[in-house]
């Protein structure tokens, strides 16, 4: 998915293509520049081929801000993906990339080709539905290191940030123009409404 990002994270977006997020660097691995990856792609062997170039979403004050990086090799250790990037030869260099999010350029008219992956422009404008009732519209997608957030514009509470995880957003229907949400209590409710005690009608005393 592409475009939106958190206020302290920058993501370069090219003019000709839409960017697709394919992974996040978690931490350094070993002493030779290896970096563990959290993958956001169903096809890592295609996305992480030798020479593939990634845009980096990093904090604005990072030495990598505005730069790209090319992968040398993707290896697997005990089922975990570990990437080796060109120019990253030791652990100290690798640690400067910790928590960076990796993006690739892709034609916006081309389908992502991956399950549960959408471009931001496909999500923006979708109707957000809870228990069959519309509660708002997707205004943008914020991409943070820990998780993505759907910024939902609501008629009553302004903007609500919804964690874009399957437990809270179980269904996205691009064709039907809807996003189904099952949020925890309080996410879309006004705190004052939640704190207001319910009105209980006392039971009448039986009469003889």
């Amino acid at each position: 998915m592409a475009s939106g990002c958190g206020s302290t994270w920058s993501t370069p977006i090219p003019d000709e293509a839409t960017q697709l997020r394919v992974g996040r660097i978690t931490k350094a691995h070993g002493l030779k520049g290896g970096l563990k990856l959290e993958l956001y792609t169903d096809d890592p062997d295609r996305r992480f081929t030798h020479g593939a170039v990634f845009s980096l979403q990093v904090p604005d004050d990072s030495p990598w801000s505005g730069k790209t990086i090319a992968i040398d090799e993707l290896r697997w250790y005990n089922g975990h993906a570990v990437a080796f990037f060109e120019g990253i030869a030791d652990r100290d260099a690798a640690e400067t990339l910790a928590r960076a999010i990796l993006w690739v350029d892709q034609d916006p008219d081309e389908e992502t080709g991956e399950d549960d992956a959408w471009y931001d422009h496909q999500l923006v404008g979708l109707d957000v539905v809870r228990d069959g009732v519309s509660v708002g519209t997707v205004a943008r997608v914020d991409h943070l290191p820990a998780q993505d957030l759907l910024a939902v514009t609501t008629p009553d509470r302004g903007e609500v940030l919804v964690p874009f995880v399957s437990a809270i957003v179980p269904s996205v229907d691009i064709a039907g123009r809807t996003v189904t949400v099952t949020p925890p209590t309080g996410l879309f409710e006004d705190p004052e409404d939640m704190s207001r005690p319910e009105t209980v009608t006392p039971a009448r005393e039986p009469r003889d």
Side-chain angles (χ1 to χ4, degrees):
M1 291 175 284
S3 71
C5 62
S7 59
T8 59
W9 287 70
S10 60
T11 305
I13 304 296
D15 294 332
E16 299 81 12
T18 295
Q19 288 196 315
L20 185 69
R21 186 186 67 160
V22 293
R24 181 174 74 93
I25 295 171
T26 58
K27 61 182 180 179
H29 175 86
L31 302 177
K32 297 183 179 180
L35 286 152
K36 284 190 174 181
L37 297 181
E38 179 182 358
L39 297 175
Y40 301 140
T41 172
D42 296 328
D43 194 359
D45 291 335
R46 178 170 70 94
R47 295 294 186 186
F48 291 88
T49 57
H50 172 74
V53 177
F54 304 91
S55 297
L56 295 167
Q57 181 182 338
V58 293
D60 294 332
D61 60 357
S62 167
W64 291 97
S65 181
K67 297 181 179 181
T68 60
I69 195 166
I71 191 169
D72 182 46
E73 184 180 7
L74 181 69
R75 301 178 187 174
W76 296 88
Y77 294 92
N78 298 321
H80 296 287
V82 176
F84 293 84
F85 293 96
E86 295 179 5
I88 306 298
D90 56 42
R91 190 177 184 90
D92 288 341
E95 287 178 345
T96 65
L97 282 162
R99 301 181 70 214
I101 297 175
L102 304 174
W103 300 75
V104 293
D105 296 341
Q106 185 159 316
D107 186 334
D109 295 326
E110 181 183 350
E111 294 296 325
T112 65
E114 302 183 20
D115 296 333
D116 298 328
W118 304 273
Y119 293 121
D120 286 18
H121 71 263
Q122 293 178 298
L123 298 170
V124 171
L126 297 191
D127 193 26
V128 180
V129 177
R130 176 189 186 186
D131 296 330
V133 178
S134 175
V135 295
T137 304
V138 177
R140 67 177 189 280
V141 184
D142 288 344
H143 300 285
L144 304 181
Q147 64 185 5
D148 293 339
L149 298 172
L150 295 181
V152 178
T153 301
T154 70
D156 301 322
R157 296 196 61 196
E159 184 178 277
V160 174
L161 297 177
V162 179
F164 198 9
V165 296
S166 58
I168 298 177
V169 186
S171 175
V172 174
D173 184 354
I174 298 297
R177 303 292 298 166
T178 60
V179 174
T180 300
V181 296
T182 54
T185 302
L187 192 59
F188 284 94
E189 289 82 9
D190 192 310
E192 293 181 0
D193 293 336
M194 293 182 61
S195 61
R196 188 178 301 126
E198 295 183 0
T199 301
V200 179
T201 302
R204 295 183 178 180
E205 293 291 335
R207 294 185 178 180
D208 295 333

